[in-house]
Amino acid sequence: MTIVLIVLGAALGAPLRYLTDRAVQARHDSVFPWGTFTVNIAGSFTLGLLAALPADGGVMAFAGTGFCGALSTYSTFGYETLRLAEERMRFYAVVNAGAGIVAGLGAAYCGMAIAQAATG
Amino acid sequence: MTGRPVDPDVDLHVPRQRSELREAPWGVLAAIAAGGALGALARYGLGSAFPHRAGEFPWSVFWVNVSGCLLIGVLMVLITETWRAHRLVRPFLGVGVLGGFTTFSTYVVDVQQMVDHGAPLVGLAYLGGTLAAALAAVYAGVRATRLLARPRRREAAARIRCAERSEAGGE
């Protein structure tokens, strides 16, 4: 059952990352990878929220391991950082890595704080 | 710019990627969903085989993210510089499998858990260690694949660019 829930969550999360990335890029003509930044922040916020909720194993498998895991990505984040550095945009590469991690942690803490406020 | 995408999931500056969703919307989304499910299952399998308690260094997630970064470096060089891949290869393997396998959300929430469990130094080491190892892995994947594929590379790159220009002209 856990495996089915992970498959369903990931089969939603991965296309949603692709569609979000496209939608964000279509609105900005910038070299900064805002699309990946957006999905990683959204995934971190949601997982932070789930981790602080009394979520059961099934919810964590579907929404945590499956959905948030597939919505967020480290491979794309790493590849984009390298490509920015290769294209002589070292400043953007450093900002991408630093801001991605700081904003991701901030989003996870926000999610946790909201969950704690909601559950008292 | 060299014409190679910055974003391996989708880069709208590349004509073939800009048009792929319009040309085969369900094929592209299904390939991504199937790949994402396979990648997430592989990550879950490794996490179950090598579990960690809250506050401990999450080695399975570390190696998942580092190996996923190595593989995306290899994949992107192969499909943008070496051979002209089928249109669903990048959506399936790059966006789906590797995107679903690696995870950013678990990475930051694990750091948060280590700090909350009184192990901030382990958290900091994990935070910086994953980033450094992942970037080194992408670099190694890209460089090693370029070296091994060099004889075929120049000719193939010209062919890929030529084909993409003719596709772009048809839009």
Side-chain angles (χ1 to χ4, degrees):
Chain A
M1 192 58 195
T2 302
I3 285 176
V4 175
L5 290 170
I6 292 171
V7 164
L8 290 175
L12 276 178
L16 187 61
R17 178 179 75 254
Y18 172 80
L19 293 172
T20 306
D21 204 342
R22 279 192 84 100
V24 170
Q25 282 187 46
R27 282 159 184 78
H28 296 273
D29 190 27
S30 132
V31 289
F32 192 81
W34 286 112
T36 309
F37 187 84
T38 306
V39 288
N40 279 348
I41 301 310
S44 300
F45 172 81
T46 311
L47 193 63
L49 189 90
L50 287 168
L53 282 177
D56 71 8
V59 173
M60 276 313 279
F62 173 77
T65 310
F67 181 77
C68 290
L71 178 68
S72 68
T73 170
Y74 214 94
S75 49
T76 299
F77 170 71
Y79 184 79
E80 285 168 344
T81 306
L82 177 83
R83 285 288 298 141
L84 290 171
E86 270 191 343
E87 295 291 344
R88 308 205 172 282
M89 293 181 280
R90 297 245 160 88
F91 175 72
Y92 280 115
V94 172
V95 169
N96 185 47
I101 287 174
V102 170
L105 271 173
Y109 272 102
C110 284
M112 187 180 80
I114 289 173
Q116 283 170 347
T119 54
Chain B
M1 302 285 281
T2 56
R4 281 195 295 125
V6 167
D7 186 337
D9 284 351
V10 60
D11 193 326
L12 299 182
H13 295 102
V14 180
R16 195 181 185 209
Q17 296 188 21
R18 195 166 58 233
S19 62
E20 71 187 0
L21 190 62
R22 194 181 56 230
E23 285 166 11
W26 296 112
V28 169
L29 293 178
I32 293 171
L38 281 177
L41 280 181
R43 170 164 43 83
Y44 173 72
L46 286 170
S48 306
F50 305 99
H52 72 279
R53 281 192 295 272
E56 283 181 355
F57 197 98
W59 282 109
S60 73
V61 187
F62 174 86
W63 286 115
V64 159
N65 283 337
V66 172
S67 61
C69 281
L70 178 83
L71 291 173
I72 201 145
V74 172
L75 176 74
M76 291 307 287
V77 170
L78 286 180
I79 65 176
T80 57
E81 299 176 20
T82 309
W83 44 271
R84 187 172 160 76
H86 185 275
R87 66 166 66 247
L88 293 182
V89 168
R90 195 196 90 267
F92 178 70
L93 289 180
V95 192
V97 174
L98 292 179
F101 184 56
T102 62
T103 171
F104 192 86
S105 51
T106 306
Y107 164 71
V108 295
V109 170
D110 278 343
V111 171
Q112 181 195 52
Q113 304 264 324
M114 282 181 253
V115 172
D116 290 350
H117 282 80
L121 288 180
V122 184
L124 201 64
Y126 175 63
L127 186 83
T130 301
L131 181 66
L135 292 179
V138 179
Y139 183 73
V142 166
R143 292 305 295 258
T145 312
R146 274 185 195 152
L147 269 176
L148 293 172
R150 188 183 278 164
R152 301 187 54 200
R153 194 173 141 216
R154 227 166 254 181
E155 186 199 335
R159 208 166 47 234
I160 290 169
R161 265 199 300 277
C162 180
E164 278 175 356
R165 254 200 301 276
S166 69
E167 272 180 23
E171 285 193 307

